[in-house]
Amino acid sequence: MLLNAYVPPKVFPWFNLLSLAFPGLIIGHFLLSLFWVFSWKKRAIIFLVWSLAFVHPIKRWVNFSSESKEIPDLKIISLNVKGGGLGLKNIEEYINSKNADIVFLQEDADKEIEFNNLQKSKNVSIVSLYSKYNVINKKVLISGNYEDFNSYADLNDIEIKGNIYRFINVYLQPFKFEKQMVKLDGNSDEDKEKLKNVVKKLIPTFKIHQEQVEIIRKAIDESPYPIILAGDFNAVPNSYEYYHLGKDLNDAFVEAGSGSSTSFHDYKFPLRIDYIFASDLVRPISYQVDRTVEISDHFPVIATFSIKK
C-alpha cells in the first residue's frame, strides 16, 4: 500500500486494491503482533518495529487531535448529496444551519438547491460550488459525458479578503456497485464469483482514475494561488489517488481531525472517500465528519481553516 505513492495503477493495479482492505489488514497485523508478544517469540520485535511504518497511514483513517480554540477565517463543507434522493429540503436546512463560507457538492444531478447567503457556481454537471465570496475565474477540468465515463471536476478561483484561492471540486469515476454485488452470502461458489466481478470493476476504474488524477494534478501544479481541494475521490486513504492528489497539500483530517474519518456509510465496511486538502497557507483548525445526520449515503465533511495573510 505504501507503494501506491510510486506505482501507478496502469503499471500494477493490485497495490491499489490492497488499499481498500487496509483496515482489515492492519487489524490482522496488530493481532498477529500481540500473538507473538504473548508467545514470547523474537519475531514479535520485527512485527512491532514494522508497525511504526503504519503510524501515518493509520492516521488517515483514525486520528486524535487536540481541540483548537483559534477563531477560523474560513469554513468549508463538502457533501456528496446522492442526487438529493433523501430530500433536497433536508440538505438545504442542514447546510443553512452550518453557516459555511464555501460548500462543495457532488452528485447534485443538476437539482435546484439553494442556500442562504451563498452564490452558486456551476460549470459542469454533478459538481457545484457555493460561495459567500466572489468567483473571479472558473474552468471545467473533467466533464463526463458518456456511459462509461462519469467523473467530473472543476475549479473556481475565489477572492477572499484581498487574496485569491483556487478551489477544486472533485468527483472521480465511481465504481457503480450495488449492495447486492458486494454482499457475500456464505455460498462459496457464488461468493467467489462476486469477488471476481468486484475485481473486474475495480481494476479498470483504478486505471481511469490515474488519467483523471493527472488532469487535476496539472491544475494544482500550475496554480498561481493556494489550493483547497475537496470532494468525493471514490478512493480510500493510502491509495494512488490519495497520494497523488494530496501531494504537497495537507489532509485536513490528519492535521486537525479526531476519531474515525469514515464518510461513506452505505456499507458496513469503513470507507473514507471524501476529503478536504489545502495548501500550507490555508491551515486546518478543525475537521469533522458529521454522523448526526443522514441526508445522503455520505456524511457531510466540515473543516475550518486559518488563512495566513
Side-chain angles (χ1 to χ4, degrees):
M1 286 162 285
L2 300 175
L3 291 173
N4 281 322
Y6 311 101
V7 182
K10 287 186 179 181
V11 174
F12 193 77
W14 299 97
F15 291 138
N16 224 27
L17 195 64
L18 280 175
S19 66
L20 289 166
F22 182 79
L25 291 172
I26 203 66
I27 289 170
H29 172 82
F30 282 117
L31 288 175
L32 195 55
S33 298
L34 287 174
F35 172 78
W36 294 126
V37 167
F38 287 113
S39 299
W40 294 96
K41 300 291 184 180
K42 289 182 179 178
R43 69 193 69 176
I45 298 172
I46 298 172
F47 273 79
L48 291 173
V49 170
W50 182 238
S51 297
L52 296 175
F54 296 110
V55 170
H56 205 63
I58 289 171
K59 286 181 68 176
R60 296 167 188 152
W61 289 89
V62 180
N63 191 25
F64 299 96
S65 300
S66 57
E67 186 177 348
S68 173
K69 308 231 185 255
E70 186 175 352
I71 298 173
D73 301 307
L74 186 68
K75 185 175 186 179
I76 293 173
I77 298 177
S78 181
L79 173 64
N80 180 317
V81 298
K82 196 182 169 82
L86 297 185
L88 293 179
K89 187 177 179 182
N90 294 332
I91 294 167
E92 289 175 343
E93 288 178 351
Y94 175 80
I95 298 294
N96 286 334
S97 73
K98 295 301 177 182
N99 193 31
D101 298 297
I102 306 288
V103 175
F104 293 81
L105 296 187
Q106 304 87 40
E107 280 201 84
D108 67 350
D110 293 329
K111 295 289 175 63
E112 288 302 318
I113 305 175
E114 296 182 1
F115 303 123
N116 299 338
N117 306 314
L118 297 175
Q119 294 298 314
K120 183 178 183 179
S121 175
K122 189 169 186 67
N123 309 317
V124 63
S125 296
I126 303 299
V127 298
S128 299
L129 181 139
Y130 295 76
S131 173
K132 279 186 179 177
Y133 300 100
N134 248 4
V135 176
I136 62 171
N137 177 52
K138 55 176 72 175
K139 181 181 179 182
V140 174
L141 299 177
I142 302 172
S143 177
N145 53 14
Y146 50 94
E147 187 176 351
D148 293 327
F149 191 77
N150 299 104
S151 59
Y152 300 81
D154 68 2
L155 68 81
N156 289 270
D157 294 335
I158 299 177
E159 184 175 355
I160 302 175
K161 299 176 182 177
N163 294 307
I164 300 171
Y165 302 87
R166 175 159 293 179
F167 292 79
I168 299 179
N169 195 359
V170 172
Y171 177 69
L172 290 189
Q173 183 79 9
F175 294 102
K176 300 181 181 177
F177 286 137
E178 300 294 336
K179 280 185 181 179
Q180 194 55 38
M181 295 169 63
V182 296
K183 185 179 179 182
L184 302 181
D185 301 318
N187 183 309
S188 58
D189 291 334
E190 288 183 10
D191 289 349
K192 193 181 293 183
E193 192 61 32
K194 281 185 179 181
L195 288 172
K196 284 181 182 177
N197 290 333
V198 166
V199 172
K200 283 179 184 177
K201 276 185 168 287
L202 289 172
I203 299 300
T205 304
F206 290 153
K207 294 178 180 179
I208 293 172
H209 280 182
Q210 181 181 337
E211 297 174 5
Q212 296 165 355
V213 166
E214 289 169 0
I215 295 169
I216 298 164
R217 192 66 240 177
K218 187 171 186 287
I220 295 171
D221 293 337
E222 294 180 353
S223 174
Y225 314 118
I227 295 287
I228 296 91
L229 168 71
D232 178 358
F233 289 14
N234 278 307
V236 297
N238 310 312
S239 62
Y240 174 87
E241 297 89 334
Y242 178 93
Y243 283 119
H244 288 265
L245 284 177
K247 181 184 175 186
D248 299 325
L249 300 174
N250 297 311
D251 181 341
F253 173 74
V254 172
E255 299 297 319
S258 289
S260 168
S261 62
T262 296
S263 58
F264 182 74
H265 61 82
D266 213 26
Y267 301 156
K268 291 182 179 179
F269 191 80
L271 286 172
R272 180 194 183 194
I273 56 178
D274 301 278
Y275 302 87
I276 301 177
F277 286 90
S279 298
D280 289 339
L281 292 176
V282 187
R283 183 170 53 82
I285 292 176
S286 69
Y287 184 102
Q288 176 193 12
V289 180
D290 191 349
R291 297 184 178 82
T292 65
V293 292
E294 291 193 10
I295 50 179
S296 169
D297 54 353
H298 294 241
F299 290 122
V301 173
I302 307 170
T304 62
F305 298 85
S306 170
I307 297 175
K308 294 181 182 178
K309 307 297 189 293

